[in-house]
Amino acid sequence: KGKTNNSKVVTGAAAPYVPPYNLVVESSVHTPEDKTRRNRKTNANRKENETSKVARPKTEEEFLDLDFSSRCAVAGLQLGRTKVFLRREAFDRIESLRSDKFFFAAATIQKIFRGRKFRMSYERIRTASIVIQSVVRMRLARQIVEWTRAIRAIVKIQSVWRMAQARIQVFEIFKARHYAATLIQRFYRNYVSRSTHEENTLSHNKIIHAVSLVQAMYRGGKARDQLLEAATAASIEEVSEAEEEVSPEKMSQFQNLRSSPVASEQVLAPLPDAFDSRNLVVSDDTQAELFRQIEEENWSNVEHILDKNPGLAELPDPESGELPLHMIARHSAAWTLLIDMVLVLYPKALIHRDKMGALPVHHAAAHD
């Protein structure tokens, strides 16, 4: 009744030969038939064994509450002095875990090996394909380069040949034109030389007439020179006789009249060396009158005022700093002689700047 060894298997002795089969390790040891007969039990003995089994705990807390021997019985093993006895269920479970470990280890080794193998194969195939592509592309590039060089050589040969043909044609045309021009010039020069020779061919009478004409012209010029010398000598004698009769006072008056300028010409008397127009005292009314006449464009009055008061050409306007030349430059109808008169009186007026920094030329440009 207390025997329970019939349902236990020694560890490592034999593995079950029923499905599921172990993929890694499969035991080939079978239980002998005599031992199987011996281990068969009656129905009563099986009921006793069933009643003698330990109740299985349903939770982890219940399992931990059991003692060590009860835990081993629940787990399906029993400890002896030198061996461990396992039930079929526990043995199959342990063998399953062992086979799973072996399976995953073998699969991992196979995975790494196959991955490495296929990667090396891929690298070889990729290297070979790159080499093949490079060789093919190199040959295609060489063909393109050779074709391009051939086309360039053909084009160059064609251009040189056409250039030679064009030069030959141009040379022939130039040669033909040169020959035609030379022929025309030769005929024209022959014609001109013949006509000139006919014109230059003079008769004996014409030669005598030409010689007589040249002699007459020479003799006439010589006679005129002689007559002129005689008339000059006679006039000198008459003048010397008249001078002896005229008194020295009348002679000096006559020379003064000859040396004096024409009365119609106006001559400006030069100013003395000690004259300084800045020392002249000019009233404000005169300056205001000058500016008013300039604005009214009475150029004759402006000329009259400047003639009487030359110092006004140098006096600027106290408010704007403008000289009379600045004001005159703003009028396009101003007299040119009046501008020349102002420049003669004060040449530095051309570089004088008013309070705005403007020159007379700036005023002239601004008022057209």
Side-chain angles (χ1 to χ4, degrees):
K1 188 176 181 179
K3 291 182 180 180
T4 57
N5 294 333
N6 295 331
S7 62
K8 295 180 177 57
V9 180
V10 180
T11 59
Y17 197 66
V18 293
Y21 299 103
N22 192 352
L23 298 178
V24 180
V25 178
E26 183 177 339
S27 178
S28 61
V29 179
H30 298 276
T31 304
E33 293 183 359
D34 56 349
K35 192 175 181 179
T36 303
R37 293 191 194 97
R38 232 182 296 121
N39 289 334
R40 290 177 181 175
K41 295 179 180 179
T42 61
N43 294 332
N45 291 332
R46 290 178 180 176
K47 290 180 180 179
E48 290 179 359
N49 291 332
E50 290 177 0
T51 56
S52 63
K53 289 181 180 180
V54 181
R56 291 181 176 276
K58 297 181 179 180
T59 61
E60 185 178 359
E61 287 79 5
E62 293 179 358
F63 179 78
L64 295 175
D65 290 340
L66 298 175
D67 56 355
F68 180 75
S69 60
S70 299
R71 291 178 188 175
C72 292
V74 170
L77 58 92
Q78 186 175 358
L79 299 176
R81 290 183 179 179
T82 59
K83 295 182 181 180
V84 176
F85 299 90
L86 298 174
R87 289 184 179 179
R88 178 68 60 182
E89 182 182 358
F91 181 76
D92 292 341
R93 188 177 299 172
I94 292 173
E95 284 294 326
S96 176
L97 294 174
R98 179 171 171 271
S99 64
D100 290 342
K101 288 289 184 180
F102 275 106
F103 175 79
F104 285 115
T108 303
I109 294 170
Q110 290 178 355
K111 177 182 70 176
I112 295 172
F113 174 74
R114 289 173 182 173
R116 177 64 178 173
K117 180 180 178 181
F118 282 105
R119 276 193 294 272
M120 292 175 65
S121 177
Y122 170 75
E123 290 292 336
R124 288 195 298 271
I125 294 171
R126 183 171 178 271
T127 305
S129 62
I130 291 173
V131 171
I132 293 170
Q133 289 178 357
S134 63
V135 172
V136 172
R137 289 172 181 171
M138 181 179 64
R139 290 184 178 179
L140 292 175
R142 284 180 179 177
Q143 291 178 0
I144 292 171
V145 170
E146 290 176 358
W147 178 250
T148 305
R149 289 178 179 175
I151 291 175
R152 288 182 179 176
I154 292 169
V155 171
K156 192 168 185 69
I157 292 169
Q158 289 179 351
S159 62
V160 172
W161 185 79
R162 290 172 182 171
M163 181 177 64
Q165 293 294 325
R167 285 182 177 177
I168 292 170
Q169 293 178 1
V170 170
F171 179 73
E172 290 178 354
I173 293 170
F174 177 76
K175 188 175 180 181
R177 290 182 178 178
H178 179 72
Y179 176 74
T182 305
L183 190 62
I184 292 170
Q185 289 177 359
R186 185 178 66 184
F187 281 103
Y188 177 73
R189 288 170 181 171
N190 290 335
Y191 170 75
V192 171
S193 62
R194 283 195 301 269
S195 60
T196 306
H197 179 70
E198 291 176 357
E199 291 178 358
N200 293 333
T201 303
L202 301 177
S203 62
H204 182 69
N205 296 328
K206 288 183 179 180
I207 294 173
I208 293 174
H209 177 71
V211 172
S212 302
L213 185 60
V214 172
Q215 289 178 355
M217 293 175 66
Y218 174 74
R219 291 170 182 171
K222 189 175 181 180
R224 281 192 295 272
D225 292 339
Q226 292 177 357
L227 291 173
L228 183 60
E229 291 177 359
T232 304
S235 60
I236 291 172
E237 291 178 358
E238 292 177 357
V239 169
S240 60
E241 291 177 357
E243 286 178 356
E244 291 177 358
E245 294 177 357
V246 178
S247 62
E249 296 178 358
K250 291 182 179 181
M251 193 66 183
S252 62
Q253 291 178 2
F254 177 72
Q255 290 178 355
N256 290 332
L257 288 173
R258 291 184 62 185
S259 61
S260 63
V262 182
S264 60
E265 297 180 358
Q266 296 179 358
V267 179
L268 295 175
L271 294 174
D273 297 336
F275 177 76
D276 189 1
S277 58
R278 283 178 284 183
N279 296 329
L280 293 175
V281 179
V282 182
S283 63
D284 295 337
D285 296 338
T286 307
Q287 187 179 17
E289 179 66 19
L290 175 63
F291 292 161
R292 187 177 67 81
Q293 295 294 334
I294 292 172
E295 293 297 332
E296 294 178 0
E297 297 186 355
N298 294 326
W299 307 121
S300 59
N301 296 337
V302 173
E303 184 180 6
H304 181 68
I305 294 172
L306 288 174
D307 189 20
K308 288 186 176 181
N309 302 288
L312 290 174
E314 303 180 19
L315 295 178
D317 187 6
E319 297 179 359
S320 62
E322 297 177 353
L323 293 175
L325 184 60
H326 290 76
M327 299 181 181
I328 294 171
R330 289 199 291 266
H331 299 276
S332 59
W335 291 357
T336 308
L337 295 175
L338 181 61
I339 296 173
D340 293 340
M341 178 181 180
V342 175
L343 292 175
V344 169
L345 294 176
Y346 188 50
K348 292 185 180 180
L350 284 174
I351 58 174
H352 179 79
R353 295 181 181 271
D354 56 8
K355 291 184 178 181
M356 295 178 63
L359 298 172
V361 68
H362 295 152
H363 289 274
H367 294 80
D368 197 12

